[in-house]
């Protein structure tokens, strides 16, 4: 029979120890210790324990002292105190000082202890799995965060990635929807094939059709050569359609056809092509409202909405901001080869409290900008204050006018890029600038696109 976990039972009464062993051996791998000293040694040698059942009143090294020693070795290991002398110990005091998983009296019904052990083992396994998911998301996907909201996202990715289900990612601009799509593709059976990415934001229908399905030379004015589309490019792989809500009605109809039949035609070609593609789409809008208003096809909506992943805004997971800052500092320092900069606690507090309308993308831009403009290797609260408002607004005049003007331009452009989803054409429209001039300014101001 498969064991559901590994536990350690500790009691200096051999009869109790034997009965506990017999009680749990069918369900768990059971280690035993007849003293506190043996228990500490056992924990040190078995790092993958899921729970400890510990007598309190023992000769020599008592249960409370043993619990303290165990917690120093494995701080988050669930400890269940199991005592035959409840009156000798204050349960409230034990709870405050030792924070056990539970406190069970030996005279209670055995089912009480069994239930507690099962729950403790389940808790430890879930905690261990969550820790693994958090580390994997950071290392493999570039997704950073320990919050419950992000752990739910990681678990959904792990659950649905191996399937062929279509996925709808919903979240505000800059929240990391493309990272989720990349993670799903990387964990899927299609990972050795291509991931195609198309941003659908407000493109002309002919351009969308060409980008999705391809065209032949001469299919329309300006079609000077054959071009493959995303469905052909991502055949047997994954296609990520970002901002799907911006698709025009004609493109929606043609996308629905290929999703229903797996068939499409290149522009200018009568030949019917077939595509085997897993589709992941994303939006920052409420598609149900767009369906109700007639701006998005209902049949396409239900074709796409098989599994939904909701990404939180950054202000909904502020506890993740310090880890995100560390991640950006670490990777940007390597990229710049310029040494690691340290953010003082007050600077981090200010970044945590900020409302972040551009979400994670804006935070990344801001942290990189702070690393670029900070004179020393120590980023202060004053540096953050200057960056999050117009530079020089609270400045004491020590920065020259030309430097302040340069930084003001830089911040305005960065904010426009955030609002446009890092799209240079969109940012140029917001700023009423020529696209080529904006390109030149981005280069002159050393703004990193990413």
């Amino acid at each position: 029979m498969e064991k559901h976990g590994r536990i350690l039972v500790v009691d200096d009464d051999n009869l109790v120890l034997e009965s506990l062993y017999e009680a749990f051996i069918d369900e768990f791998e059971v280690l035993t210790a007849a003293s506190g000293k043996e228990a500490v040694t056992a924990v040190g040698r078995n790092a993958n324990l899921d729970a400890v059942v510990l007598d309190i009143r023992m000769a020599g090294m008592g249960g409370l002292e043993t619990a303290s020693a165990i917690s120093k070795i494995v701080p988050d290991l669930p400890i269940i105190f199991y005592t035959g002398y409840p009156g000798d110990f204050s349960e409230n005091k034990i709870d405050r000082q030792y924070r056990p998983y539970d406190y069970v009296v030996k005279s209670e019904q055995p089912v009480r202890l069994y239930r507690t052990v099962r729950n403790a083992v389940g808790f430890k396994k879930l905690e261990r799995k969550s820790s693994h998911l958090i580390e994997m998301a950071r290392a493999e996907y570039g997704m950073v965060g320990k919050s419950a909201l992000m752990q739910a996202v990681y678990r959904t990715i792990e659950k649905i990635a191996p399937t062929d289900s279509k996925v709808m990612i919903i979240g505000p601009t800059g929240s990391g929807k493309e990272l989720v799509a990349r993670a799903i593709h990387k964990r899927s059976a299609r990972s050795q094939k291509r991931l195609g990415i198309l941003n659908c934001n407000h493109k002309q229908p002919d351009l969308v059709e060409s980008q999705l399905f391809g065209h032949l030379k001469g299919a329309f004015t300006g079609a000077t050569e054959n071009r493959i589309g995303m469905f052909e490019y991502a055949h047997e792989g994954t296609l990520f359609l970002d901002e799907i809500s911006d698709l025009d009605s004609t493109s929606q109809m043609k996308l629905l056809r290929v999703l229903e039949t797996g068939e499409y035609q290149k522009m200018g070609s009568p030949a019917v092509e077939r595509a085997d593609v897993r589709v992941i789409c994303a939006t920052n809008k409420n598609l149900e409202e767009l369906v109700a208003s007639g701006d998005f096809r209902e049949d396409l909506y239900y074709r796409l909405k098989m599994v939904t992943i909701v990404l939180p805004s950054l202000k909904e997971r502020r506890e993740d901001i310090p880890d995100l800052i560390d991640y950006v500092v670490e990777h940007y320092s390597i990229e710049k080869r310029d040494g690691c900069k340290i953010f003082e606690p007050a600077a981090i507090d200010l970044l945590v409290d900020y409302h972040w309308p551009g979400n994670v993308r804006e935070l990344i831009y801001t942290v990189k900008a702070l690393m670029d403009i900070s004179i020393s290797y120590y980023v202060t609260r004053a540096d953050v204050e200057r960056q999050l408002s117009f530079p020089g607004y609270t400045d004491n005049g020590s920065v020259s006018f030309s430097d302040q003007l340069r930084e003001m331009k830089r911040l305005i452009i960065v904010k426009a890029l955030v609002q446009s989803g890092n799209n240079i054409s969109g940012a140029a429209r917001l700023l009423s600038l020529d696209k080529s001039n904006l390109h030149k300014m981005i280069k002159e101001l050393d703004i990193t696109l990413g």
Side-chain angles (χ1 to χ4, degrees), residues 174-441:
S175 57
K177 297 187 288 294
E178 185 177 322
L179 288 178
V180 174
R182 289 183 179 277
I184 293 170
H185 175 69
K186 189 171 183 178
R187 300 292 289 177
S188 74
R190 298 173 179 262
S191 61
Q192 299 305 309
K193 300 295 183 178
R194 290 171 174 161
L195 168 66
I197 298 175
L198 177 64
N199 193 312
C200 305
N201 59 336
H202 303 297
K203 293 183 171 74
Q204 293 298 320
D206 285 350
L207 178 59
V208 173
E209 184 177 355
S210 172
Q211 290 179 326
L212 282 175
F213 309 122
H215 64 251
L216 298 185
K217 180 179 178 180
F220 53 87
T221 303
T224 57
E225 59 184 4
N226 294 343
R227 172 176 177 168
I228 70 168
M230 280 295 176
F231 274 94
E232 183 177 353
Y233 174 82
H235 180 61
E236 296 184 339
T238 305
L239 176 58
F240 174 51
L241 301 176
D242 199 6
E243 302 308 342
I244 189 76
S245 54
D246 291 339
L247 272 184
D248 63 277
S249 57
T250 301
S251 300
Q252 289 179 36
M253 180 183 66
K254 292 183 176 181
L255 177 60
L256 177 63
R257 176 174 178 256
V258 71
L259 293 179
E260 287 180 335
T261 66
E263 298 178 346
Y264 67 94
Q265 290 172 279
K266 292 183 179 180
M267 295 180 71
S269 171
V272 175
E273 311 278 350
R274 292 196 62 83
D276 172 18
V277 173
R278 180 187 193 174
V279 174
I280 300 173
C281 60
T283 181
N284 62 0
K285 297 176 182 173
N286 188 321
L287 284 183
E288 291 185 357
E289 290 181 359
L290 294 178
V291 168
S293 65
D295 293 318
F296 199 86
R297 294 181 65 106
E298 184 176 22
D299 46 6
L300 177 59
Y301 170 69
Y302 286 112
R303 271 281 173 184
L304 294 170
K305 186 181 177 293
M306 290 183 68
V307 176
T308 300
I309 295 178
V310 179
L311 273 179
S313 65
L314 188 55
K315 65 184 179 183
E316 292 178 289
R317 57 180 188 108
R318 294 183 187 276
E319 63 267 44
D320 291 333
I321 291 177
D323 283 339
L324 283 160
I325 294 169
D326 287 344
Y327 182 84
V328 177
V329 169
E330 176 188 345
H331 285 76
Y332 196 48
S333 297
I334 294 171
E335 179 185 328
K336 297 273 288 183
R337 299 180 182 178
D338 194 28
C340 188
K341 294 200 175 182
I342 298 171
F343 282 63
E344 72 171 2
I348 294 175
D349 289 344
L350 193 56
L351 291 168
V352 170
D353 290 339
Y354 187 63
H355 59 288
W356 298 114
N359 295 291
V360 176
R361 185 183 294 134
E362 185 184 5
L363 174 67
I364 291 171
Y365 283 138
T366 300
V367 172
K368 287 182 177 181
L370 287 165
M371 293 174 68
D372 286 342
I373 66 175
S374 177
I375 298 171
S376 71
Y377 283 94
Y378 201 61
V379 178
T380 67
R381 181 184 177 92
D383 292 328
V384 176
E385 288 175 344
R386 280 194 296 270
Q387 185 65 21
L388 293 182
S389 60
F390 283 122
Y393 181 75
T394 58
D395 194 75
N396 60 12
S398 61
V399 181
S400 70
F401 176 76
S402 61
D403 285 343
Q404 291 183 41
L405 185 59
R406 172 185 169 84
E407 209 48 47
M408 184 180 291
K409 287 180 181 178
R410 194 177 195 281
L411 180 62
I412 291 171
I413 291 173
V414 166
K415 286 187 175 181
L417 286 167
V418 169
Q419 291 173 14
S420 65
N422 211 28
N423 182 280
I424 295 178
S425 298
R429 286 195 296 271
L430 286 173
L431 297 170
S432 299
L433 290 173
D434 180 78
K435 183 179 175 181
S436 61
N437 286 339
L438 180 57
H439 263 295
K440 188 185 299 182
M441 293 175 71

Side-chain angles (χ1 to χ4, degrees), residues 32-46:
T32 62
S35 69
K37 191 174 180 180
E38 282 185 32
V40 174
T41 301
V43 171
R45 291 176 177 172
N46 298 274

Side-chain angles (χ1 to χ4, degrees), residues 8-280:
L8 171 67
V9 293
V10 188
D11 202 298
D12 62 352
D13 185 324
N14 286 330
L15 289 177
V16 174
L17 200 59
E18 186 176 340
S19 67
L20 288 174
Y21 179 87
E22 293 296 331
F24 290 112
I25 191 59
D26 288 342
E27 189 170 349
F28 304 103
E29 182 180 347
V30 183
L31 305 180
T32 62
S35 69
K37 191 174 180 180
E38 282 185 32
V40 174
T41 301
V43 171
R45 291 176 177 172
N46 298 274
N48 59 341
L49 283 169
D50 295 307
V52 177
V53 178
L54 178 61
D55 187 18
I56 296 181
R57 189 171 178 178
M58 296 189 295
M61 189 176 188
L64 300 181
E65 185 183 354
T66 303
S68 294
I70 289 173
S71 296
K72 289 177 182 176
I73 301 170
V74 186
D76 55 354
L77 181 60
I79 295 176
I80 301 160
F81 283 127
Y82 187 53
T83 181
Y85 302 91
D88 292 355
F89 307 97
S90 167
E91 188 174 342
N92 289 333
K93 184 177 179 181
I94 288 174
D95 188 56
R96 286 194 306 271
Q97 188 170 346
Y98 298 96
R99 298 192 176 279
Y101 184 83
D102 207 346
Y103 183 102
V104 181
V105 178
K106 290 181 178 178
S107 60
E108 293 185 70
Q109 292 293 322
V111 69
R112 167 87 161 82
L113 179 62
Y114 302 158
R115 187 187 305 120
T116 299
V117 170
R118 290 190 191 102
N119 290 342
V121 170
F123 169 81
K124 182 61 179 175
K125 283 183 172 292
L126 181 61
E127 185 181 66
R128 192 178 285 128
K129 184 175 181 180
S130 296
S131 178
H132 171 71
L133 285 176
I134 290 166
E135 291 172 10
M136 184 172 65
R138 181 183 180 115
E140 295 190 18
Y141 313 149
M143 298 174 66
V144 180
K146 301 174 184 174
S147 62
L149 290 172
M150 290 308 294
Q151 288 190 47
V153 171
Y154 305 153
R155 285 194 292 270
T156 304
I157 290 172
E158 287 299 291
K159 190 179 297 183
I160 59 98
T163 74
D164 228 16
S165 294
K166 296 177 182 66
V167 181
M168 174 85 70
I169 307 168
I170 300 173
T173 298
S175 57
K177 297 187 288 294
E178 185 177 322
L179 288 178
V180 174
R182 289 183 179 277
I184 293 170
H185 175 69
K186 189 171 183 178
R187 300 292 289 177
S188 74
R190 298 173 179 262
S191 61
Q192 299 305 309
K193 300 295 183 178
R194 290 171 174 161
L195 168 66
I197 298 175
L198 177 64
N199 193 312
C200 305
N201 59 336
H202 303 297
K203 293 183 171 74
Q204 293 298 320
D206 285 350
L207 178 59
V208 173
E209 184 177 355
S210 172
Q211 290 179 326
L212 282 175
F213 309 122
H215 64 251
L216 298 185
K217 180 179 178 180
F220 53 87
T221 303
T224 57
E225 59 184 4
N226 294 343
R227 172 176 177 168
I228 70 168
M230 280 295 176
F231 274 94
E232 183 177 353
Y233 174 82
H235 180 61
E236 296 184 339
T238 305
L239 176 58
F240 174 51
L241 301 176
D242 199 6
E243 302 308 342
I244 189 76
S245 54
D246 291 339
L247 272 184
D248 63 277
S249 57
T250 301
S251 300
Q252 289 179 36
M253 180 183 66
K254 292 183 176 181
L255 177 60
L256 177 63
R257 176 174 178 256
V258 71
L259 293 179
E260 287 180 335
T261 66
E263 298 178 346
Y264 67 94
Q265 290 172 279
K266 292 183 179 180
M267 295 180 71
S269 171
V272 175
E273 311 278 350
R274 292 196 62 83
D276 172 18
V277 173
R278 180 187 193 174
V279 174
I280 300 173

